[in-house]
Amino acid sequence: FLLFKYFKGRDGEIVGIQKPEIPIDIYFLNQLNNLEKKKYLESRKYKDFYTELSEIFRGYLELRFNIPALESSTYDLKILLNDLNIKEEWLNDFLRNCDIVKFAKGVPSDEASIVFLKKMRYFIKHYAIQAAEDFEQEESNKTPNINKLKKYIK
């Protein structure tokens, strides 16, 4: 799962990051679809499923909210999300399940795993809509209101 391609200058400094060419929301929704097609849950490969699901989620957070989600510990990520005022109830359960499955070899229920996948899909769609609304608001603030300008035009 490669998200970025780094280009290094002569002294090893990173000079650019290549982002997906399609909108990030579509990109990560496609990643969720690809994960589902791998049928990890049906073959009981929970560690693989949660590892990829976590990478998809953290990659989305990193690009959408410009936070270091991929490099952050679960504890640090929770703080970052709280700072962004993202307080989805399911997130704590999801992050805890990821840690238990990946590091303590826990076995989650298939139902909980499917619910997390659905909630993540909803999360991405929700913040894609919010991002579009924020963009429209910014654009409308840049464009002068013609009614306000009419009083200055004679």
Side-chain angles (χ1 to χ4, degrees):
F1 174 73
L2 294 175
L3 187 57
F4 300 110
K5 183 177 181 183
Y6 294 96
F7 297 98
K8 295 186 179 184
R10 290 185 184 154
D11 58 352
E13 179 183 339
I14 297 172
V15 294
I17 297 174
Q18 181 180 358
K19 294 183 181 178
E21 292 182 16
I22 60 175
I24 62 167
D25 310 290
I26 302 299
Y27 176 81
F28 286 101
L29 288 171
N30 287 340
Q31 292 298 314
L32 291 176
N33 290 337
N34 292 339
L35 175 62
E36 242 178 334
K37 290 176 186 173
K38 293 179 181 178
K39 302 198 183 285
Y40 285 140
L41 296 177
E42 292 161 5
S43 57
R44 304 185 58 78
K45 294 181 178 179
Y46 298 111
K47 184 175 181 177
D48 293 336
F49 176 80
Y50 276 91
T51 299
E52 285 193 39
L53 189 60
S54 177
E55 286 178 356
I56 291 167
F57 180 64
R58 287 170 179 264
Y60 175 75
L61 291 174
E62 189 150 319
L63 287 178
R64 171 65 177 83
F65 299 104
N66 198 27
I67 60 173
L70 288 166
E71 304 87 39
S72 298
S73 68
T74 299
Y75 177 79
D76 292 338
L77 182 57
K78 287 179 183 180
I79 292 170
L80 290 169
L81 292 173
N82 191 45
D83 290 346
L84 291 170
N85 206 24
I86 297 174
K87 298 176 183 173
E88 306 279 333
E89 290 180 25
W90 63 275
L91 280 177
N92 282 331
D93 292 336
F94 168 69
L95 294 170
R96 183 175 50 251
N97 261 21
C98 284
D99 287 348
I100 290 171
V101 171
K102 293 189 310 185
F103 304 117
K105 299 182 183 179
V107 179
S109 70
D110 288 348
E111 295 82 24
S113 302
I114 292 168
V115 167
F116 288 138
L117 187 65
K118 288 180 181 179
K119 287 189 181 281
M120 190 169 304
R121 190 171 277 124
Y122 173 80
F123 180 88
I124 292 172
K125 288 177 182 178
H126 170 76
Y127 283 99
I129 291 168
Q130 182 180 343
E133 289 171 355
D134 291 347
F135 177 77
E136 286 177 9
Q137 181 65 34
E138 287 176 19
E139 290 301 308
S140 68
N141 289 340
K142 290 179 186 176
T143 307
N145 185 334
I146 192 70
N147 292 327
K148 288 181 180 178
L149 292 176
K150 282 183 181 179
K151 66 182 179 182
Y152 298 107
I153 301 173
K154 296 183 180 184

